[in-house]
C-alpha cells in the first residue's frame, strides 16, 4: 500500500471517530438538557431547583445564586448557538430565571453584593465573601441581552462587571472580608480565571467592550501565569500576591481540574490575541502538565486535589473523582487539539471522554453523577446540589459538539496525524 493511500485511510478513520464522538456528544446534551427542563423549573416562584436526586426529585428547595446564573447562561447559550434548542420554552425559562435574579439576587439593592443562598421565594440566607455569585449573575445578564436584545440586561451586566473589577483591583472591603493580621497575602487562581472568562463573555462580538477590557484581560492572563511554579514543573492553586510560592498546605495545594479549566480560558485568550508563543506555553503548562500529574494511574480519572510534594492532602475528598474536572479536561484537550493539531492532545481527549462517559453518565435517569470515589464507583447519587447545577456538563457537551463539528467541516480538515484513538460507538452510547 502506498504511503499516500495509507495517510488517506488514516484520515478517514480519524474523521469517522470524530463524527462518532460528535453524535455522542449531541445525544448526551439532549438528554442532559431534558433532565433539567423536566425537573428543575420552579413554576410558582421562578428560578431553578438544583438540589435534585438521582431521578430528579427535589430534596431541598434552597436556591444558589451562582447556579441560578449558570442555568440562565446555559439556556441562553444553547438557544443562541444551536438551532435545535431555539425553542420558546427554553428562552421563557431563561427569562424567568433572569427575572428571579433581578428581583432577589442582590442582598441590599442598590448595592451590588449578591447572596450565595436564597430561600425558594427569594429571601437571602447566606452571603459568601467572594465574587463568584456576582460573576455568574453578570454572565447570565449578558447572555440574556444577547438573545432578547433588551438593553436592561446588558446594563446590569456591565454595572456588575465594573463592581467586580473594583473589588478585585481596587478595594475588596465591599466583599465583607475582615482584615486579619495573620492571614497570608495570597491569590487564588480562581479570581483572575473568572475575570478572564467575563472579559471573553462581555467582549464577544462587541468591539467597544472588547477594547475597554483588553488591558484587564492581559492582566488576568499574567496573574494566572504566575501560578506556574517550581521552574515550570507545577501549577499551584495559590500563590502570593507578587507571584511567589507560599509555604504550608495552602502553597502546596494543587487542583488539576482548575488548572485545565484555566488552560482553555488562557488558550481562548491567546488565540484571540494571535499569540502563538502563549498558545504553546498554555498547552504545555496548563493542559499537558496538570493532566499528567493529576491522572490516577491505578484507577483512571483525575484526582480532585493534590499536594505538589506528594504529601497527603488534608481535604477529605482529595482522591475523589468529580464531574467538573473531567468536563473541563475534555474542553481543554479538544480545544488544544483543534488549535495545534497535536495528536497527543486528541488521544488524551479520547482517554478522558471514554472514562467520563463510562463512569459519570447515568443511563437510567439521565444527567451525570457528580461524585465518585477513587475507584470510580458512585459515592453520591444526587444529580445536583449547592455546587452542581445545569452548567459544567451541558457546557462541556455543547462546546465539544461545536469543536468536533468545526474539525469535521470541509473548510477545516482534520490533521492527518493518526492519534491511535479508540473509536466511539454512538449506537453503544444510545443503548447504555
Amino acid at each position: 500500500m502506498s504511503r499516500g493511500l495509507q495517510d488517506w485511510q488514516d484520515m478517514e478513520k480519524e474523521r469517522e471517530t470524530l463524527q462518532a464522538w460528535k453524535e455522542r456528544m449531541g445525544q448526551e446534551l439532549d438528554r442532559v438538557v431534558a433532565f433539567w427542563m423536566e425537573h428543575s423549573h420552579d413554576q410558582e416562584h421562578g428560578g431553578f431547583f438544583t438540589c435534585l436526586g438521582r431521578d430528579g426529585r427535589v430534596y431541598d428547595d434552597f436556591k444558589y445564586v451562582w447556579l441560578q446564573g449558570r442555568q440562565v447562561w446555559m439556556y441562553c447559550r444553547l438557544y443562541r448557538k444551536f438551532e435545535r434548542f431555539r425553542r420558546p420554552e427554553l428562552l421563557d425559562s431563561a427569562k424567568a430565571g433572569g427575572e428571579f435574579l433581578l428581583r432577589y439576587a442582590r442582598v441590599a439593592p442598590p448595592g451590588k453584593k449578591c447572596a450565595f443562598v436564597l430561600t425558594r421565594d427569594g429571601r437571602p440566607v447566606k452571603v459568601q465573601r467572594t465574587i463568584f455569585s456576582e460573576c455568574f449573575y453578570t454572565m447570565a445578564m449578558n447572555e440574556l441581552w444577547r438573545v432578547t436584545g433588551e438593553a436592561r440586561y446588558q446594563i446590569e451586566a456591565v454595572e456588575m462587571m465594573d463592581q467586580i473589577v473594583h473589588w478585585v483591583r481596587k478595594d475588596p472591603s465591599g466583599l465583607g472580608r475582615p482584615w486579619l493580621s495573620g492571614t497570608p497575602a495570597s491569590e487564588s487562581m480562581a479570581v483572575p480565571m473568572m475575570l478572564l472568562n467575563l472579559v471573553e463573555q462581555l467582549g464577544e462580538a462587541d468591539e467597544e467592550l472588547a477594547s475597554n477590557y483588553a488591558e484587564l484581560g492581559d492582566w488576568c492572563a499574567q496573574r494566572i501565569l504566575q501560578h506556574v511554579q517550581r521552574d515550570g514543573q507545577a501549577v499551584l492553586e495559590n500563590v502570593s500576591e507578587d507571584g511567589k510560592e507560599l509555604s504550608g498546605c495552602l502553597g502546596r495545594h494543587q487542583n488539576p481540574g482548575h488548572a485545565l479549566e484555566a488552560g482553555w480560558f488562557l488558550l481562548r485568550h491567546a488565540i484571540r490575541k494571535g499569540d502563538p508563543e502563549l498558545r504553546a506555553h498554555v498547552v504545555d503548562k496548563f493542559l499537558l502538565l496538570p493532566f499528567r500529574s493529576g491522572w490516577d494511574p491505578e484507577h483512571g480519572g483525575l484526582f480532585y486535589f493534590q499536594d505538589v510534594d506528594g504529601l497527603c492532602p488534608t481535604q477529605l475528598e482529595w482522591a475523589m473523582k468529580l464531574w467538573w474536572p473531567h468536563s473541563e479536561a475534555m474542553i481543554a484537550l479538544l480545544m488544544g487539539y483543534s488549535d495545534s493539531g497535536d495528536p497527543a492532545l486528541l488521544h488524551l481527549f479520547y482517554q478522558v471522554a471514554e472514562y467520563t462517559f463510562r463512569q459519570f453518565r447515568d443511563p437510567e435517569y439521565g444527567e451525570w453523577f457528580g461524585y465518585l470515589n477513587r475507584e470510580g464507583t458512585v459515592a453520591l447519587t444526587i444529580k445536583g446540589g449547592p455546587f452542581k447545577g445545569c452548567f459544567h456538563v451541558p457546557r462541556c457537551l455543547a462546546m465539544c459538539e461545536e469543536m468536533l463539528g468545526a474539525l469535521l467541516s470541509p473548510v477545516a480538515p482534520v490533521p492527518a496525524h493518526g492519534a491511535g484513538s479508540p473509536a466511539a460507538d454512538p449506537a453503544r452510547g444510545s443503548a447504555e
Side-chain angles (χ1 to χ4, degrees):
M1 183 184 299
S2 70
R3 179 58 184 268
L5 179 58
Q6 182 65 54
D7 288 346
W8 179 83
Q9 290 180 339
D10 289 345
M11 187 167 68
E12 284 303 300
K13 184 178 179 181
E14 197 67 83
R15 291 184 68 86
E16 289 173 5
T17 305
L18 293 171
Q19 180 65 41
W21 271 110
K22 178 180 180 294
E23 292 172 6
R24 199 172 181 190
M25 295 290 175
Q27 292 166 5
E28 191 64 14
L29 178 60
D30 291 349
R31 294 179 75 250
V32 167
V33 173
F35 180 93
W36 292 99
M37 290 285 288
E38 180 179 355
H39 299 297
S40 71
H41 298 178
D42 184 349
Q43 304 294 348
E44 183 178 352
H45 295 285
F48 308 105
F49 300 116
T50 61
C51 294
L52 304 179
R54 182 184 179 187
D55 60 0
R57 277 183 283 188
V58 178
Y59 64 83
D60 196 315
D61 62 8
F62 277 148
K63 292 175 179 172
Y64 297 83
V65 169
W66 66 338
L67 298 185
Q68 302 293 309
R70 286 170 167 181
Q71 190 156 348
V72 170
W73 180 89
M74 193 71 247
Y75 278 9
C76 291
R77 194 76 165 190
L78 291 170
Y79 184 89
R80 184 162 69 92
K81 294 282 191 177
F82 292 82
E83 184 67 35
R84 70 181 187 274
F85 289 115
R86 206 155 293 158
R87 307 196 300 258
E89 61 269 26
L90 198 68
L91 180 58
D92 290 345
S93 299
K95 290 167 68 175
E99 293 304 317
F100 183 86
L101 284 171
L102 284 170
R103 286 195 301 272
Y104 301 120
R106 289 174 294 171
V107 176
K112 298 296 185 184
K113 192 74 192 85
C114 290
F116 179 65
V117 186
L118 302 169
T119 61
R120 180 181 177 184
D121 58 2
R123 289 170 291 134
V125 174
K126 180 180 178 181
V127 174
Q128 278 193 335
R129 296 163 178 174
T130 64
I131 61 170
F132 303 116
S133 290
E134 293 78 10
C135 287
F136 290 105
Y137 179 97
T138 303
M139 288 174 62
M141 293 300 147
N142 178 256
E143 201 64 40
L144 269 171
W145 166 69
R146 292 179 185 277
V147 296
T148 66
E150 295 185 36
R152 63 194 179 102
Y153 293 129
Q154 179 69 338
I155 291 170
E156 282 288 326
V158 173
E159 288 183 353
M160 186 63 83
M161 178 67 166
D162 291 343
Q163 178 64 79
I164 294 167
V165 174
H166 177 80
W167 284 330
V168 171
R169 299 189 70 179
K170 294 182 180 179
D171 181 8
S173 61
L175 295 173
R177 287 197 299 264
W179 183 85
L180 301 174
S181 61
T183 302
S186 64
E187 178 178 89
S188 165
M189 190 161 60
V191 172
M193 273 179 62
M194 275 306 308
L195 268 183
L196 182 59
N197 191 45
L198 289 180
V199 167
E200 297 293 329
Q201 172 72 38
L202 271 66
E204 181 191 344
D206 189 324
E207 291 185 10
E208 182 179 355
L209 278 182
S211 176
N212 291 346
Y213 295 135
E215 183 273 334
L216 176 62
D218 291 339
W219 179 85
C220 292
Q222 287 305 121
R223 303 296 284 200
I224 298 169
L225 291 168
Q226 287 185 156
H227 289 259
V228 180
Q229 296 286 323
R230 306 274 178 111
D231 295 323
Q233 297 306 304
V235 179
L236 303 180
E237 186 69 10
N238 305 291
V239 295
S240 69
E241 290 182 340
D242 59 351
K244 302 295 191 300
E245 184 174 340
L246 297 164
S247 62
C249 294
L250 182 68
R252 297 194 307 271
H253 179 53
Q254 291 184 290
N255 183 332
H258 234 188
L260 285 156
E261 185 178 18
W264 73 259
F265 287 4
L266 282 170
L267 186 57
R268 187 174 55 177
H269 175 73
I271 292 169
R272 183 176 56 77
K273 289 180 67 68
D275 187 338
E277 185 176 340
L278 178 57
R279 284 149 71 176
H281 181 73
V282 168
V283 167
D284 185 35
K285 303 304 181 187
F286 285 87
L287 273 59
L288 295 173
L289 183 61
F291 179 84
R292 288 168 179 160
S293 67
W295 189 260
D296 183 346
E298 185 176 353
H299 298 287
L302 290 163
F303 288 115
Y304 193 26
F305 297 131
Q306 292 181 290
D307 184 294
V308 70
D309 286 336
L311 303 176
C312 180
T314 58
Q315 298 88 352
L316 300 180
E317 71 275 27
W318 72 269
M320 291 181 72
K321 312 294 168 60
L322 271 65
W323 83 103
W324 70 262
H326 296 80
S327 299
E328 300 309 312
M330 288 166 63
I331 296 171
L333 295 166
L334 189 55
M335 187 181 293
Y337 172 70
S338 298
D339 181 56
S340 69
D342 182 350
L345 294 169
L346 184 60
H347 178 79
L348 294 178
F349 164 76
Y350 290 137
Q351 181 178 332
V352 177
E354 288 285 2
Y355 175 89
T356 302
F357 272 68
R358 183 176 65 249
Q359 303 299 136
F360 287 96
R361 181 177 179 272
D362 183 358
E364 185 173 354
Y365 291 104
E367 241 289 342
W368 291 3
F369 299 112
Y371 304 88
L372 312 179
N373 62 26
R374 180 178 178 183
E375 291 73 25
T377 58
V378 176
L380 303 177
T381 59
I382 59 173
K383 295 296 176 54
F387 304 99
K388 184 178 185 292
C390 181
F391 183 64
H392 287 100
V393 175
R395 180 174 73 169
C396 166
L397 295 168
M399 290 184 67
C400 288
E401 183 182 346
E402 286 185 305
M403 286 188 283
L404 289 163
L407 286 168
L408 291 161
S409 168
V411 298
V414 179
H417 294 294
S421 52
D425 182 354
R428 183 191 65 192
S430 301
E432 282 175 351

